[in-house]
């Protein structure tokens, strides 16, 4: 029996682990154990995703919650160490770049347990981003590095990671997108919000550099204020950004925008439906740059850099930073029918998880 701990912690992890759990179902010799660190704990950030993604209840829930980076990372490590001690797994699988990813990798490495990192090799080259630190730490400790795009191969080579550990497999998040598309189509979110396809834009915003800084947050809101005059905007808001709007006294500014609708965070299927039918997307997320590229929806990324360059090189993504005028100009291009066309990147075909589990099985059995 091959015992594998599949680790999740935060919202962007759930749709990445779901296809891996499913693919493991085809191998009777593999025993997957789902561990949720509890980094995200609100129903809307966690439980709803488990339901939508048909994930089983976590076998082990660590309940670590929020805190400073050191507090959160340390709490995850203390709890996860006990899990590894008890379960003695053959492999720990971590996905993405959140604090749970790096914390569990560090624990596994020190306990001489093999690690697989899914979504390895991505680099923004911006170490002010907490995720960049998490990516560097996780990759250097991993035994299997599963890469989503070619840039990841180049980055890992440059960093001296042995080729034999690195596997270009495509993207498990796109596996979920493809698998759940028919179910997402049945979501009634457009009716609920009274929206016609292609008649609205979607905003997501949560990066500390954008929402924990009043000046930057205001510059973005100023852009939304101009865009909403031409296009209704739907903004399912992350708890962190919601909190900062009040802290910075920006609530009245947001409420003045009659064409901007703030919503609580949406579940996976509703959000995919909303994304698929959007005229454009304004975001600072990592994964949404990729989901829009797959769906062919224009994506305006309000960041100075991206660790996912393929979405700009071949996809529909445009990097605009936080300059109000740049953001408005790009949105106007889309509204004037001059949106950038894109293609689907190599191996984003819905079968990444199957490739990953096959490789793991062949090496470990
Ligand atoms: C985390 C990830 C980020 C990812 C994002 C997706 C890290 C360093 N960051 O950022 O890469 O893009 O998740 O959402 O791991 N909060 C709640 N309820 C929750 C979770 C968070 O209210 O269920 C609030 C708390 O006030 C908390 C804050 O959001 O302090 C930040 O949560 P945290 O998990 O530290 O980071 P995210 O900003 O969510």
């Amino acid at each position: 029996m091959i015992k594998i701990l599949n680790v999740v912690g935060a919202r962007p992890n759930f749709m990445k682990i779901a296809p891996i759990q499913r693919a493991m179902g085809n191998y009777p010799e593999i025993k997957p154990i789902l561990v949720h660190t509890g980094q995200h704990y609100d129903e809307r950030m966690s439980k709803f995703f488990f339901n939508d993604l048909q994930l089983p209840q976590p076998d082990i829930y660590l309940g670590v919650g929020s805190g400073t980076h050191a507090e959160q990372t340390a709490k995850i490590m203390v709890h996860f160490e006990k899990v590894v001690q008890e379960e003695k797994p053959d492999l720990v699988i971590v996905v993405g770049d959140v604090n749970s990813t790096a914390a569990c990798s560090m624990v596994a490495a020190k306990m001489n347990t093999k690690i697989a990192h899914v979504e390895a090799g991505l680099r923004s080259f911006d170490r002010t981003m907490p995720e960049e630190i998490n990516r560097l730490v996780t990759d250097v400790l991993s035994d299997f590095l599963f890469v989503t795009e070619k840039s990841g191969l180049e980055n890992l080579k440059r960093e001296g990671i042995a080729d034999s550990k690195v596997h270009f497999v495509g993207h498990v998040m796109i596996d979920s997108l493809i698998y759940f598309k028919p179910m997402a189509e049945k979501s009634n979110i457009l009716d609920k919000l009274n929206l016609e396809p292609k008649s609205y834009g979607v905003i997501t915003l949560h990066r500390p550099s954008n929402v924990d800084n009043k000046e930057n947050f205001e510059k973005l809101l100023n852009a939304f204020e101009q865009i909403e005059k031409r296009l209704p905007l739907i903004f399912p808001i992350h708890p962190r950004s919601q909190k900062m709007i009040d802290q910075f006294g920006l609530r009245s500014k947001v409420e003045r925008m009659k064409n901007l609708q703030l919503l609580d965070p949406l579940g996976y299927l509703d959000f995919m439906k909303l994304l698929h039918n959007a005229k454009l997307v304004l975001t600072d997320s990592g994964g949404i740059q990729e989901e829009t590229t797959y769906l062919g929806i224009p994506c305006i990324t309000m960041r100075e850099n991206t660790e996912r360059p393929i979405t700009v090189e071949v996809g529909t993504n445009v990097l605009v930073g936080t300059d109000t005028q740049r953001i408005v100009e790009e949105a106007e291009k889309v509204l004037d029918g001059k949106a950038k066309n894109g293609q689907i990147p190599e191996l984003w075909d819905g079968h990444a998880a199957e490739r990953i589990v096959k490789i793991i099985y062949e090496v470990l059995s």
Side-chain angles (χ1 to χ4, degrees):
M1 190 58 88
I2 304 169
K3 203 189 227 191
I4 301 181
L5 298 185
N6 287 333
V7 176
V8 290
R11 182 170 62 178
N13 296 158
F14 306 134
M15 65 293 274
K16 294 173 190 163
I17 218 72
I20 295 176
Q21 282 265 143
R22 206 168 41 249
M24 285 179 176
N26 295 327
Y27 292 80
E29 303 90 334
I30 294 181
K31 181 177 185 218
I33 297 175
L34 187 58
V35 182
H36 186 343
T37 65
Q39 177 176 345
H40 283 174
Y41 44 89
D42 281 359
E43 279 202 331
R44 290 194 157 83
M45 300 295 285
S46 176
K47 185 169 177 273
F48 289 7
F49 279 75
F50 271 71
N51 297 343
D52 276 3
L53 294 159
Q54 301 168 6
L55 271 166
Q57 287 300 307
D59 298 294
I60 299 169
Y61 185 72
L62 306 181
V64 299
S66 302
T68 66
H69 281 271
E71 282 165 358
Q72 192 178 55
T73 307
K75 264 199 221 166
I76 297 168
M77 289 180 73
V78 169
H79 286 81
F80 190 65
E81 185 178 51
K82 296 196 181 94
V83 174
V84 177
Q85 234 153 23
E86 193 134 305
E87 298 293 341
K88 301 191 174 39
D90 298 292
L91 180 72
V92 171
I93 299 189
V94 294
V95 298
D97 54 15
V98 303
N99 284 346
S100 302
T101 312
C104 293
S105 304
M106 279 191 282
V107 169
K110 292 201 173 179
M111 296 177 84
N112 291 324
T113 304
K114 285 199 163 46
I115 304 162
H117 183 206
V118 174
E119 213 183 35
L122 298 179
R123 297 290 181 267
S124 65
F125 304 102
D126 173 4
R127 291 197 184 184
T128 65
M129 266 181 98
E131 293 83 358
E132 184 75 351
I133 309 296
N134 293 337
R135 292 179 201 118
L136 287 161
V137 168
T138 306
D139 283 344
V140 84
L141 298 176
S142 289
D143 302 279
F144 296 85
L145 295 98
F146 294 112
V147 172
T148 54
E149 64 167 74
K150 286 278 169 64
S151 72
L153 297 176
E154 290 155 24
N155 295 333
L156 294 173
K157 195 178 231 359
R158 200 184 41 253
E159 290 171 17
I161 308 275
D163 284 348
S164 56
K165 295 185 186 174
V166 179
H167 310 272
F168 178 37
V169 291
H171 204 332
V172 288
M173 189 188 64
I174 302 300
D175 290 4
S176 274
L177 200 166
I178 294 171
Y179 184 83
F180 288 105
K181 215 164 157 211
M183 278 161 264
E185 269 159 25
K186 292 193 190 121
S187 149
N188 61 359
I189 188 75
L190 297 193
D191 296 336
K192 264 201 214 156
L193 298 174
N194 209 2
L195 295 169
E196 291 296 324
K198 303 293 167 194
S199 70
Y200 62 89
V202 175
I203 302 172
T204 84
L205 201 59
H206 73 286
R207 221 150 270 299
S209 58
N210 282 338
V211 302
D212 291 3
N213 172 311
K214 185 175 181 195
E215 197 189 326
N216 279 353
F217 206 162
E218 252 184 319
K219 282 201 290 186
L220 301 178
L221 291 177
N222 288 339
F224 305 157
E225 208 167 15
Q226 294 188 48
I227 299 167
E228 61 116 37
K229 296 200 170 80
R230 283 187 70 183
L231 185 75
L233 296 174
I234 310 297
F235 186 2
I237 189 164
H238 187 285
R240 169 184 217 121
S241 314
Q242 186 74 276
K243 198 169 68 183
M244 298 317 285
I245 285 183
D246 289 324
Q247 205 160 310
F248 291 146
L250 294 169
R251 181 68 55 192
S252 58
K253 185 178 178 69
V254 174
E255 282 172 356
R256 268 202 310 274
M257 296 186 223
K258 294 295 167 223
N259 253 335
L260 180 142
Q261 230 188 117
L262 275 192
L263 304 178
D264 283 331
L266 292 172
Y268 182 73
L269 298 174
D270 284 344
F271 188 69
M272 283 304 125
K273 170 92 176 196
L274 198 64
L275 214 55
H276 198 177
N277 289 285
K279 178 84 182 165
L280 61 84
V281 175
L282 293 146
T283 192
D284 64 0
S285 147
I288 292 170
Q289 298 172 52
E290 300 175 321
E291 285 162 334
T292 47
T293 273
Y294 182 83
L295 294 168
I297 309 290
C299 181
I300 298 170
T301 298
M302 300 171 290
R303 286 176 47 187
E304 304 296 340
N305 52 52
T306 180
E307 60 288 333
R308 293 155 159 97
I310 195 88
T311 60
V312 176
E313 284 155 22
V314 316
T316 52
N317 191 21
V318 191
L319 277 186
V320 293
T322 51
D323 179 67
T324 306
Q325 232 21 62
R326 263 295 273 133
I327 299 168
V328 174
E329 271 165 31
E330 273 310 317
E332 284 181 339
K333 269 194 211 162
V334 177
L335 294 175
D336 294 339
K338 294 182 203 132
K340 177 185 172 199
N341 287 321
Q343 284 164 0
I344 295 175
E346 195 180 344
L347 288 185
W348 290 15
D349 59 1
H351 300 290
E354 290 154 37
R355 291 184 198 105
I356 288 171
V357 177
K358 184 166 185 276
I359 292 167
I360 287 171
Y361 178 75
E362 283 170 3
V363 175
L364 295 187
S365 65

